[in-house]
Amino acid sequence: MHEPSSEPGTVRRMTERDLELVLGWRNHPQVRAHMFTQHEISIEEHLRWFAAASKDDLQHVLIFETGGEPQGYAHLSLIAARTAANWGFYLSPAAPLGSGKRLGGATLDHAFHNLRLHKVCGQALAKNSRSISMHLALGFKPEGVLREQHFDGEAFHDVHCFGLLDHEWLGVDLPNLTTND
């Protein structure tokens, strides 16, 4: 188990320098087990994804850092006339305890303060209790359950949907979080 970190985090745009690190995190069994797409991502698939995301102004792919060290990945996919976004995230398996909430806070600060979004939407598989708890701790409101929405190749799983509005984010009590673009 990793030591808790009290240091706030920042987010910045992902660059080509981050590709290998992010692919390693994404393919780690602890991360893949909670993803909607659970196959191991090839380097070719990863490069195609990044090339497309980098050219799409609706996609914001971010690296979460503490003390200048990358600790996680987050993305915001703008929707609804650029007033809302779907988000996703994962941490380095070696990230210190508490990093998830700081990653979420830094990403949401970026979404609401830098991008001036009105709403951020999230989804979590029912079996991913840590993600569900994190959404709730960050102030997200449950917006429903899509029953047996996701088939992982072996079984159907419920998908929990969450939403957070800009004025709700202002009331969330988290440590000092900053964003860098």
Side-chain angles (χ1 to χ4, degrees):
M1 182 124 327
H2 306 285
E3 289 297 314
S5 173
S6 60
E7 184 175 337
T10 61
V11 293
R12 62 168 173 80
R13 287 197 180 277
M14 183 176 165
T15 68
E16 289 182 7
R17 292 186 318 263
D18 302 307
L19 284 170
E20 186 177 337
L21 184 62
V22 170
L23 180 61
W25 295 341
R26 173 58 179 81
N27 281 337
H28 192 281
Q30 290 175 340
V31 173
R32 270 198 350 254
H34 298 290
M35 303 300 282
F36 284 88
T37 306
Q38 295 184 352
H39 72 277
E40 190 163 331
I41 305 292
S42 70
I43 187 65
E44 294 81 17
E45 183 180 357
H46 191 57
L47 291 172
R48 282 192 307 274
W49 161 80
F50 184 71
S54 297
K55 294 175 191 166
D56 186 347
D57 65 346
L58 299 178
Q59 301 298 318
H60 293 257
V61 291
L62 306 168
I63 297 296
F64 169 70
E65 295 181 332
T66 57
E69 292 296 318
Q71 299 290 329
Y73 161 85
H75 73 265
L76 293 159
S77 300
L78 302 183
I79 56 173
R82 300 173 190 249
T83 63
N86 291 316
W87 85 320
F89 52 87
Y90 47 87
L91 288 170
S92 159
L97 291 174
S99 294
K101 191 171 180 182
R102 287 192 310 283
L103 175 151
T107 303
L108 293 168
D109 269 354
H110 178 73
F112 292 122
H113 295 129
N114 297 50
L115 300 178
R116 304 258 186 251
L117 296 178
H118 174 66
K119 183 177 184 179
V120 174
C121 305
Q123 293 187 337
L125 294 171
K127 65 182 181 176
N128 192 349
S129 59
R130 290 177 70 185
S131 180
I132 291 169
S133 294
M134 188 176 105
H135 277 91
L136 296 172
L138 289 169
F140 280 82
K141 306 294 185 234
E143 293 191 339
V145 175
L146 302 172
R147 297 176 308 126
E148 297 187 8
Q149 177 76 14
H150 179 70
F151 184 68
D152 66 5
E154 296 179 15
F156 286 96
H157 301 276
D158 291 350
V159 176
H160 290 251
C161 301
F162 301 93
L164 181 65
L165 303 175
D166 54 357
H167 66 272
E168 294 168 334
W169 176 243
L170 299 175
V172 175
D173 183 26
L174 291 174
N176 294 331
L177 298 165
T178 59
T179 61
N180 296 322
D181 199 13

